[in-house]
């Protein structure tokens, strides 16, 4: 879909000029702009207030050196990032990605998406994202700790419980958050909820570990229900085998589906009997090994090299939970050809624009990332509430709140799509609903 609104075309031109060489960021902005065309026509007051011109420019971008010493005594240098994108509706909030592919364009695309996602959660959180090109693979615990401490030695001066609250993302889990929290506390001499995804003994929330994957399935089940379907009895393919993929597998299975495939960046496993999640948790969470290990204990399962082949497995529902642009046009066409009727995104921006076009033109149910994977940050918001109140809720309490939030996110997407004459297009609905709340706040706060 090409933009037709003159004003949006102009702003996008400026974005492209200012951010040349950052294709993922431009892709994320373009997708949102395409959804906003009817809003811009109906709400000239927001254009007048310069909301969109301001929204595309991060409030602050921090880039810093992260020196650390490896196990051989050699100095290593990585680059650290924190993009504080938008604070109109709350403190900056978003994860930290540790992956060799990280550069400023990745962090900006993720931070931009986070603004709308956080808005949809109904909780008061602005958008931000951070990370580093550090590669955690093959590093010892000691190296991970020294990296995390060095990263925080600069980052601590820019964040705070009421200012900017980082969390996990690719390569950042409970271990990394623990090391970062320890260093923050030491440097500031204060114990606050400055990070989420913390360990349960020092302020972490029950159900945060499960939240993104569980939330993805709660959102998807709502979307299926609204269209006379459900997870029960369906075959599901899930990419990735990290935090999001593991807990999506667990919840989809609990809801009656059979998950038959998982992957990592090297390849994918197919188990026609349904994935044995206890084995996956042991390999990934305890031993930190590769997914191909699965077939050594599961002789009926098959491992295939190369991660994109996973989309050639016939399924009813696909849940991409690995990384950006992991489903291209060809993979989307394969899914359709094999009878897949729903794609719901656990990863951020896992589908290319051409893939999304294939879903929409073939009438698939499409749950866009910024709505479908918002359960993680929503539960981070619940962790912040518990930290501020200095109390902790039970797993059941947090899970019930998460379910309520995911239902309300689906409702917002559905209603916004209907209101703008785009019924069933939950991507447009998510972008519009997420945008409007932030836009009203930005307009009310004046030109800042
Ligand atoms: P993890 O680091 O726990 O797992 C990432 C998984 O994706 C691994 O299996 C990894 O394989 C695979 N992967 C990562 N990069 C690539 C790549 N370039 N090509 C192929 N596979 C890749 O991360 P999460 O599960 O936390 O995150 C997965 C996705 O979900 C990301 O897009 C993230 O932004 C998003 N997300 C995460 C949330 C959270 O709460 N954690 C919340 C909302 C969204 P390998 O081990 O080989 O690298
Ligand atoms: O992309 C995301 O929403 C996350 N990585 C979670 C962010 C958070 O603050 O919990």
């Amino acid at each position: 879909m090409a933009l037709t609104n003159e004003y949006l075309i102009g702003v996008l031109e400026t974005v492209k000029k200012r951010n040349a060489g950052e294709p993922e960021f431009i892709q994320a902005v373009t997708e949102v702009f395409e959804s906003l065309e009817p809003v811009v026509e109906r709400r000239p007051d927001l254009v007048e207030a310069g909301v969109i011109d301001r929204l595309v420019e991060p409030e602050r971008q921090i880039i810093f050196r992260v020196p650390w010493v490896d196990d051989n005594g050699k100095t290593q240098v990585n680059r650290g990032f924190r993009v504080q994108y938008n604070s109109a509706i709350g403190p900056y909030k978003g994860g930290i990605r540790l992956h060799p592919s990280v550069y400023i364009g990745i962090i900006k695309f993720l931070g931009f998406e986070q603004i709308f996602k956080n808005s949809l959660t109904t909780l008061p959180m602005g958008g931000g994202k951070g990370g580093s090109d550090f590669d955690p693979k093959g590093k010892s615990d000691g190296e991970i700790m020294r990296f995390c401490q060095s990263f925080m030695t600069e980052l601590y001066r820019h964040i705070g419980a009421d200012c900017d609250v980082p969390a996990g993302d690719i390569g950042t889990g409970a271990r990394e958050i623990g090391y970062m929290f320890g260093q923050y506390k030491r440097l500031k001499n204060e114990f606050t909820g400055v990070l989420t995804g913390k360990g349960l003994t020092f302020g972490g929330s029950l159900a945060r570990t499960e939240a993104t994957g569980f939330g993805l399935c709660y959102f998807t089940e709502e979307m299926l229900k609204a269209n006379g379907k459900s997870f029960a009895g369906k075959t599901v393919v899930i990419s990735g085998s990290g935090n999001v993929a593991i807990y999506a597998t667990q919840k989809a299975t609990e809801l009656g589906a059979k998950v038959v495939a998982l992957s990592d960046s090297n390849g994918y496993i197919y188990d026609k009997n349904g994935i044995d999640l206890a084995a996956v948790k042991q390999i990934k969470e305890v031993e930190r090994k590769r997914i191909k290990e699965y077939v050594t204990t599961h002789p009926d399962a098959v491992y295939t090299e190369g991660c994109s082949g996973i989309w050639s497995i016939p399924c009813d529902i696909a849940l991409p939970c690995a990384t950006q642009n992991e489903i291209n046009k060809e993979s989307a066409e394969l899914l359709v050809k094999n009878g897949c009727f729903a794609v719901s995104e656990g990863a951020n921006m896992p589908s290319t624009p051409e893939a999304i076009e294939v879903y929409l033109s073939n009438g698939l149910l499409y749950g866009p990332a910024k709505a479908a994977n918002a359960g993680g940050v929503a539960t981070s918001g619940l962790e912040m509430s518990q930290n501020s109140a200095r109390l902790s809720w039970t797993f059941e309490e947090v899970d019930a709140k998460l379910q309520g939030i995911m239902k309300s996110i689906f409702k917002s997407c559905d209603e916004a799509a209907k209101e703008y004459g785009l019924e069933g297009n939950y991507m447009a609905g998510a972008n519009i609903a997420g945008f409007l709340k932030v836009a009203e706040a930005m307009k009310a706060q004046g030109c800042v």
Side-chain angles (χ1 to χ4, degrees), residues 97 137 169 171 208 212 241-244 265 290 321-322 346-348:
R97 178 174 292 192
K137 276 202 199 78
D169 193 77
R208 175 62 188 89
T212 310
S241 50
N243 174 264
V244 181
S265 56
R290 310 304 298 163
C321 295
N348 284 305

Side-chain angles (χ1 to χ4, degrees), residues 62-241:
I62 303 145
I63 304 185
F64 51 98
R65 182 171 70 194
V66 188
W68 55 280
V69 178
D70 70 18
D71 285 348
N72 298 318
K74 191 170 177 299
T75 296
Q76 302 286 342
V77 179
N78 286 102
R79 187 172 281 186
F81 303 90
R82 187 73 187 167
V83 173
Q84 298 180 329
Y85 219 117
N86 191 292
S87 61
I89 63 167
Y92 310 106
K93 181 83 195 86
I96 291 175
R97 178 174 292 192
L98 302 181
H99 193 271
S101 63
V102 165
Y103 75 107
I104 189 66
I106 294 281
I107 301 301
K108 274 162 61 186
F109 115 64
L110 290 163
F112 185 71
E113 292 280 292
Q114 202 80 44
I115 303 169
F116 308 97
K117 184 195 303 195
N118 293 4
S119 162
L120 285 169
T121 64
T122 72
L123 304 175
M125 299 181 289
K129 199 82 186 188
S132 172
D133 57 2
F134 174 76
D135 185 359
K137 276 202 199 78
K139 303 289 191 299
S140 68
D141 269 359
E143 289 175 324
I144 298 279
M145 183 180 76
R146 292 193 293 279
F147 168 82
C148 289
Q149 290 179 338
S150 180
F151 186 79
M152 189 52 81
T153 300
E154 173 59 34
L155 190 64
Y156 88 98
R157 64 186 92 246
H158 307 290
I159 63 176
D162 295 314
C163 160
D164 183 359
V165 183
D169 193 77
I170 291 177
T172 307
R175 175 181 57 171
E176 292 73 20
I177 293 293
Y179 293 146
M180 288 181 196
F181 181 79
Q183 185 73 349
Y184 181 88
K185 182 167 64 64
R186 183 187 190 194
L187 289 165
K188 292 282 270 210
N189 193 27
E190 63 182 38
F191 194 115
T192 59
V194 64
L195 292 154
T196 59
K198 298 184 292 297
L200 298 178
T201 52
F202 52 96
S205 174
L206 285 159
R208 175 62 188 89
T209 304
E210 294 83 356
T212 310
F214 278 22
L216 169 64
C217 293
Y218 296 147
F219 177 92
T220 307
E221 187 76 337
E222 278 303 298
M223 176 173 80
L224 294 171
K225 257 183 20 203
N227 292 276
K229 296 179 160 63
S230 80
F231 266 114
K234 303 300 185 305
T235 299
V236 179
V237 164
I238 299 183
S239 63
S241 50

Side-chain angles (χ1 to χ4, degrees), residues 308-368:
S308 64
I310 193 170
W311 308 118
S312 66
I313 299 171
C315 65
D316 302 307
I317 299 164
L319 304 177
C321 295
T323 195
Q324 65 275 354
N325 292 327
E326 55 169 314
I327 304 186
N328 62 15
K329 183 168 186 270
E330 291 68 38
S331 297
E333 284 170 346
L334 262 182
L335 285 169
V336 172
K337 191 176 128 224
N338 290 331
C340 172
F341 63 78
V343 178
S344 202
E345 299 178 331
N348 284 305
M349 206 168 77
S351 308
T352 65
E354 297 76 23
I356 296 172
E357 195 53 50
V358 172
Y359 309 151
L360 298 181
S361 62
N362 285 279
L364 268 67
L365 299 176
Y366 171 48

Side-chain angles (χ1 to χ4, degrees), residues 336-411:
V336 172
K337 191 176 128 224
N338 290 331
C340 172
F341 63 78
V343 178
S344 202
E345 299 178 331
N348 284 305
M349 206 168 77
S351 308
T352 65
E354 297 76 23
I356 296 172
E357 195 53 50
V358 172
Y359 309 151
L360 298 181
S361 62
N362 285 279
L364 268 67
L365 299 176
Y366 171 48
K370 56 173 77 68
N373 75 28
V377 73
T379 307
S380 280
L382 300 176
E383 183 170 327
M384 290 165 73
S385 300
Q386 293 169 80
N387 292 165
S388 301
R390 300 195 194 284
L391 49 74
S392 40
W393 298 326
T394 64
F395 188 97
E396 290 69 27
E397 281 174 291
V398 179
D399 189 43
K401 287 186 204 302
L402 170 63
Q403 290 187 46
I405 289 171
M406 297 318 293
K407 281 187 187 175
S408 111
I409 293 175
F410 176 74
K411 191 159 172 271

